[in-house]
Amino acid sequence: MADLLLEIGTEEIPARFIPGALGELQALFSRECETQRLRAGQVATLGTPRRLALLAVDVAAQQEPLHQEVVGPPRAVAFDAEGRPTRAAAGFARAQGVAVEALEVRQLDRGEFVVASRTEPGRPTAALLPEMLPRLILALPFPKAMRWGTGDLRFVRPIHWVVALYGEEVIAFALDGVQSGRASQGHRFMAPGPVEIARPGVYEACLEQARVYADPARRRTLIAAALAQETAGVGGLLLEDDPLLEEVTFMVEYPSVVRGTFEAEFLSLPREVLITAMREHQRYFAVTDDKGALLPYFLAVNNTLARDPAVVRAGHERVLRARLADARFFFEEDRRAPLHARVDALKGVLFQAKLGSYHDKVLRVQRLAEQLAEAVAPAARAAVSRAALLCKADLTTSMVGEFPNLQGIMGREYARRSGEPEPVALAIGEHYRPAFSGDRLPESEAGALLSVADKLDTIAGCFGVGLIPTGTSDPWALRRQALGVLAIILERRLVLSLPAALEAALAGLHGRLERPADTVREEVLTFFRVRLENLLEGEGHPGDIIRAVLAAGADPVVEAVARVRALASFRARPEFTPLATTVKRVTNILRGAGALTLRDPDPHLLREPAEHDLLQACATVKIQVDGLVAAGEFTGALEVLAGLQATVDRFFTQVLVMADDPQVRATRLALLGKVAELFSRIADFAQLAG
């Protein structure tokens, strides 16, 4: 066995593509090894903007042998009465590449058959890799790929070199004219030129001598340490920004950190403006004091060691100063008009061709948000209504035009400076949340309701004009928005009827829907139900419990989730299994009997004491369960329902449900219907496994 190195050298790859590519490279190699029956030890991937590399230790010298057993014709066909092989046996043996004498007779379930056993020896790894490695490279997926020159090869960026070593031997192959070898490349500026790699084990050390840290984890550690050192030098703290740290890690091969300053007067700009100006355009880190206030410093990560750090620092400061000056100009110009004066300008900003302008959307969202507030938080109605009217107005500002990710944030700031009440400003700033996985949820009541209204309008509108997510495409991020709605409802425990809210959203879209409203309603509710199931599965709840509870009703969402959690917890109790068995028996009998002829059991037709006992028990339990369910005490409701089991079992023991007398039979079925109705307050027990 020997170690394996594969390095694909390219022009600079976008930083956001590299982590995913390295993960795919490792996964593809593992799948190839499994397919090719090739054993390997630890596998690691390394990468910089100019290279993607894979290191595998202790790769076996050859494939594992392949043992196969093939079943042939029946014994009676393969051998004659004297036991001599027939032409069928000879043909089967020849097809399998074995001698007739090597055929075995095996007793199988369907009788005696001949079986051919054969072993295919493994190929040497050195002969296998020239086929396997190019296939691996070409299979790497990227969000965008390109062609170059006159060739047909597509890759994320043009390939300039390939290193392929198995031990000390070069694995020879060519990709679109690029021949594999052992020559890598050093840092583009500080150590340009070839770097000979003698064997995989010295790969990282050789590149480090050429000013390249190939291991992303090491680069990240070096960057983090340098950032901490520089912030400590001014008595500050680094504003934590893990995504930015990840990005700059994959933008450099040999990192160095420079600290710069900017004029303190720029600190009068909103905090988010300063951070965005540093981060989004320049990839600079911000520095704060121990209370979180920004300090007039920034940290830049460079890809080279500066001969004169002062020159580099001055260059960064000059660029940032210009950027902050632009931001200050935009901020001052935008403030010349109050935020509410910009609402009419939204008529000229298209939301979606079939759904109208942002002004149209604002009016829809305002009506919907007011209705949501009336339903769950009447005291917040005024703030919600005003915030809804103003929530998109900042789309017409110069600041948002320059920094689109500040939408909502600038609306909040301009609302404050326009004299709007603080609840209105906060709601404007929060209504886009959550904007991505892991994002914060709205913290204010008005912000939460406005966010739900905005997202519901988008989801209903997109479904209404056929912009429905597919398995591979969701350009309007409707899945994320639906998850956001559910997260807000659950976080704030909003007893909100999703079907009613959706009905209101669809009413606001009247005249714009291109599909039947009933169809859209059912599709959107199903869409939300699937997202809710995903959320509950993410909490670790069994699928059958989720399905059973939601089959009994998924609205309000807060109540449905509480029922799932209660039933999942109750399942661990010893009384659960016999209880579920009894309830399933009830539902199976009812389903087998079809439609009931009586809505309520007729007491005059109850003949057995067990029938009267069950009717009385149902009445008593109903009062208790109604109160517990109304209070959201679903575990308590299950405990009360569990007490009904003995009475139901006694009923089954002493009473023939399917009596000959149709009236008696219907009455007993109606009595069981009362039992099923009680349990359906929690779940459809028939859908539980086991």
Side-chain angles (χ1 to χ4, degrees):
M1 62 179 60
D3 296 344
L4 171 68
L5 168 65
L6 173 66
E7 183 193 56
I8 311 156
T10 69
E11 294 182 11
E12 275 73 3
I13 302 171
R16 66 186 184 279
F17 291 175
I18 301 175
L22 295 180
E24 287 290 342
L25 181 60
Q26 184 163 352
L28 286 168
F29 179 75
S30 297
R31 287 198 291 270
E32 280 281 352
C33 286
E34 183 178 355
T35 302
Q36 299 299 329
R37 311 187 311 279
L38 189 62
R39 289 189 177 181
Q42 186 176 359
V43 179
T45 52
L46 309 169
T48 76
R50 298 180 67 210
R51 69 202 76 226
L52 304 172
L54 180 140
L55 272 171
V57 301
D58 296 336
V59 179
Q62 65 179 34
Q63 293 174 295
E64 292 287 310
L66 178 63
H67 301 287
Q68 290 181 310
E69 289 188 346
V70 182
V71 178
R75 176 180 183 176
V77 175
F79 297 97
D80 61 20
E82 285 73 32
R84 293 187 298 256
T86 64
R87 293 178 63 184
F92 173 65
R94 185 168 54 253
Q96 300 305 316
V98 300
V100 174
E101 295 77 13
L103 296 177
E104 302 176 50
V105 176
R106 299 271 184 89
Q107 179 65 47
L108 305 179
D109 292 342
R110 50 205 172 114
E112 289 187 307
F113 287 79
V114 295
V115 175
S117 299
R118 63 181 183 180
T119 298
E120 179 183 321
R123 295 173 60 196
T125 299
L128 186 70
L129 290 174
E131 305 166 5
M132 177 176 161
L133 296 184
R135 187 166 59 241
L136 193 67
I137 295 171
L138 296 177
L140 275 174
F142 294 96
K144 293 181 181 179
M146 61 182 293
R147 289 199 308 248
W148 57 93
T150 58
D152 294 325
L153 190 147
R154 295 180 64 86
F155 204 66
V156 62
R157 288 295 184 269
I159 296 175
H160 288 297
W161 76 88
V162 175
V163 176
L165 298 176
Y166 180 59
E168 297 183 355
E169 300 298 319
V170 171
I171 303 301
F173 60 87
L175 277 178
D176 203 30
V178 178
Q179 183 66 44
S180 63
R182 64 173 70 251
S184 182
Q185 293 286 322
H187 193 284
R188 184 184 291 278
F189 305 112
M190 294 193 295
V195 178
E196 294 289 318
I197 310 297
R199 60 186 185 280
V202 300
Y203 172 68
E204 290 186 70
C206 290
L207 286 184
E208 187 171 338
Q209 290 179 357
R211 303 288 184 158
V212 173
Y213 291 111
D215 184 0
R218 187 174 182 196
R219 290 200 305 278
R220 184 184 176 106
T221 299
L222 291 171
I223 294 169
L227 291 171
Q229 181 179 353
E230 290 295 331
T231 52
V234 292
L237 298 171
L238 181 71
L239 181 65
E240 295 295 333
D241 193 335
D242 196 68
L244 180 57
L245 179 57
E246 175 84 353
E247 183 177 8
V248 297
T249 295
F250 288 101
M251 292 177 65
V252 298
E253 293 193 317
Y254 197 85
S256 67
V257 174
V258 172
R259 183 183 69 235
T261 64
F262 58 87
E263 287 77 359
E265 63 191 59
F266 288 120
L267 292 174
S268 63
L269 289 169
R271 172 190 177 91
E272 292 86 355
V273 171
L274 287 170
I275 294 172
T276 300
M278 287 187 273
R279 184 191 197 281
E280 298 302 321
H281 289 276
Q282 307 307 133
R283 306 299 187 264
Y284 295 163
F285 290 85
V287 180
T288 71
D289 62 19
D290 57 0
K291 295 182 176 60
L294 291 179
L295 296 176
Y297 302 102
F298 66 90
L299 301 171
V301 180
N302 297 315
N303 191 31
T304 59
L305 287 175
R307 294 180 180 177
D308 187 347
V311 173
V312 175
R313 181 181 303 110
H316 285 300
E317 290 174 345
R318 183 171 58 253
V319 171
L320 182 59
R321 186 179 300 113
R323 183 65 61 184
L324 294 180
D326 287 344
R328 182 170 58 187
F329 173 78
F330 295 145
F331 187 63
E332 293 173 351
E333 285 297 306
D334 289 341
R335 290 179 58 197
R336 292 181 181 276
L339 189 63
H340 63 80
R342 296 181 175 275
V343 174
D344 277 350
L346 290 172
K347 294 176 181 178
V349 183
L350 183 67
F351 169 59
Q352 201 279 331
K354 298 176 182 178
L355 297 175
S357 68
Y358 267 100
H359 189 270
D360 297 322
K361 179 175 177 61
V362 159
L363 297 182
R364 292 196 303 267
V365 170
Q366 185 181 37
R367 288 191 295 269
L368 178 57
E370 289 172 350
Q371 290 173 282
L372 298 182
E374 286 288 353
V376 298
R381 186 182 187 281
V384 167
S385 177
R386 182 64 174 174
L389 180 66
L390 302 176
C391 68
K392 306 297 182 183
D394 64 353
L395 295 178
T396 67
T397 65
S398 298
M399 186 71 82
V400 172
E402 180 70 11
F403 302 113
N405 63 321
L406 289 179
Q407 54 189 289
I409 294 172
M410 295 315 303
R412 178 195 68 200
E413 294 303 313
Y414 292 143
R416 284 170 173 164
R417 287 162 173 79
S418 298
E420 298 292 340
E422 184 61 13
V424 172
L426 284 176
I428 293 171
E430 293 176 336
H431 86 280
Y432 286 106
R433 297 185 195 168
F436 50 85
S437 177
D439 190 17
R440 291 181 300 159
L441 299 178
E443 296 173 13
S444 70
E445 195 165 50
L449 293 172
L450 180 54
S451 178
V452 169
D454 184 36
K455 291 172 174 58
L456 273 180
D457 175 78
T458 298
I459 294 169
C462 286
F463 270 78
V465 297
L467 299 175
I468 302 172
T470 65
T472 57
S473 175
D474 186 7
W476 287 82
L478 301 186
R479 292 187 183 92
R480 174 180 58 75
Q481 296 197 56
L483 287 170
V485 169
L486 293 173
I488 292 169
I489 289 173
L490 295 174
E491 172 73 17
R492 302 195 65 85
R493 300 189 59 79
L494 298 176
V495 186
L496 180 68
S497 171
L498 201 53
L502 177 60
E503 191 69 39
L506 290 172
L509 288 157
H510 180 71
R512 293 194 177 274
L513 300 179
E514 295 187 340
R515 306 171 68 233
D518 289 343
T519 300
V520 174
R521 182 185 307 106
E522 292 306 312
E523 289 179 351
V524 173
L525 289 176
T526 300
F527 185 68
F528 270 99
R529 176 167 173 158
V530 172
R531 309 280 85 72
L532 180 57
E533 290 176 356
N534 293 340
L535 280 176
L536 291 168
E537 287 173 358
E539 290 185 4
H541 299 302
D544 65 322
I545 283 186
I546 296 171
R547 290 188 294 273
V549 169
L550 297 186
D555 189 61
V557 171
V558 170
E559 180 184 295
V561 170
R563 285 188 283 123
V564 168
R565 293 168 179 166
L567 187 58
S569 175
F570 197 78
R571 190 181 219 171
R573 299 192 184 187
E575 63 265 35
F576 175 82
T577 298
L579 176 65
T581 300
T582 296
V583 179
K584 285 183 182 181
R585 184 178 181 185
V586 170
T587 55
N588 288 338
I589 290 173
L590 291 172
R591 288 175 182 175
L596 298 178
T597 57
L598 292 176
R599 180 178 298 275
D600 292 307
D602 185 348
H604 298 93
L605 293 175
L606 301 180
R607 300 175 178 177
E608 304 294 335
E611 295 175 285
H612 290 282
D613 291 345
L614 184 55
L615 181 61
Q616 181 60 44
C618 284
T620 302
V621 166
K622 183 179 186 304
I623 294 172
Q624 293 176 286
V625 168
D626 285 349
L628 290 166
V629 167
E633 298 289 342
F634 298 105
T635 299
L638 281 165
E639 291 170 347
V640 171
L641 289 169
L644 193 61
Q645 181 197 343
T647 308
V648 177
D649 287 345
R650 187 164 57 252
F651 172 84
F652 281 135
T653 300
Q654 299 178 10
V655 175
L656 177 63
V657 177
M658 306 305 288
D660 292 335
D661 186 324
Q663 286 188 312
V664 173
R665 182 170 64 249
T667 295
R668 291 172 177 173
L669 288 171
L671 186 54
L672 291 183
K674 287 292 184 183
V675 175
E677 182 181 351
L678 287 171
F679 281 90
S680 70
R681 300 292 300 276
I682 305 296
D684 179 0
F685 277 67
Q687 298 206 31
L688 293 174

